Amino acid sequence: MAEIKAGTNQFYMEENGEVIARIEYFPSDHDGKKQITITHTIVNEGHNGKGLGKQLVNQVAEYAKTNQLHIIAECSYAKKVLENSEEYKDLLL
């Protein structure tokens, strides 16, 4: 299984030095609530169906939880994963 790495406003996975999956977000502050907006979850062709996208969404959710942030999911995939998660759905705005 590929290790999840943190980058600037993203988490990603590499294989043989190539990024094979990533999730992008940006931080913001709205009405005094610190939050992040997930914009994209991208898994390269050939790596679909391995659960990499879900692992990345869960990584962002853990990051948000640890840092007491709420999440806006513009990415439809991330929104679906978070809405279906008992552990993380309360992070959604």
Side-chain angles (χ1 to χ4, degrees):
M1 184 186 317
E3 175 187 353
I4 298 175
K5 298 180 180 182
T8 303
N9 296 333
Q10 69 175 335
F11 289 98
Y12 63 95
M13 296 175 170
E14 290 180 333
E15 186 175 90
N16 300 321
E18 176 188 349
V19 175
I20 58 169
R22 73 178 179 271
I23 189 164
E24 300 172 349
Y25 63 90
F26 64 89
S28 60
D29 193 327
H30 183 69
D31 292 334
K33 289 183 181 178
K34 292 186 178 197
Q35 60 196 32
I36 55 175
T37 300
I38 300 172
T39 55
H40 300 287
T41 304
I42 302 160
V43 177
N44 291 2
E45 269 189 55
H47 297 282
N48 297 328
K50 298 178 181 178
L52 302 181
K54 186 173 184 178
Q55 290 175 48
L56 290 169
V57 172
N58 289 340
Q59 182 68 37
V60 170
E62 281 298 318
Y63 171 79
K65 197 173 181 181
T66 299
N67 291 284
Q68 299 177 339
L69 304 169
H70 287 92
I71 297 173
I72 295 172
E74 288 180 357
C75 168
S76 59
Y77 176 77
K79 184 174 184 173
K80 179 181 167 187
V81 170
L82 292 168
E83 285 176 342
N84 290 324
S85 168
E86 289 300 318
E87 186 175 0
Y88 301 129
K89 68 181 178 183
D90 61 323
L91 297 173
L92 282 170
L93 284 180

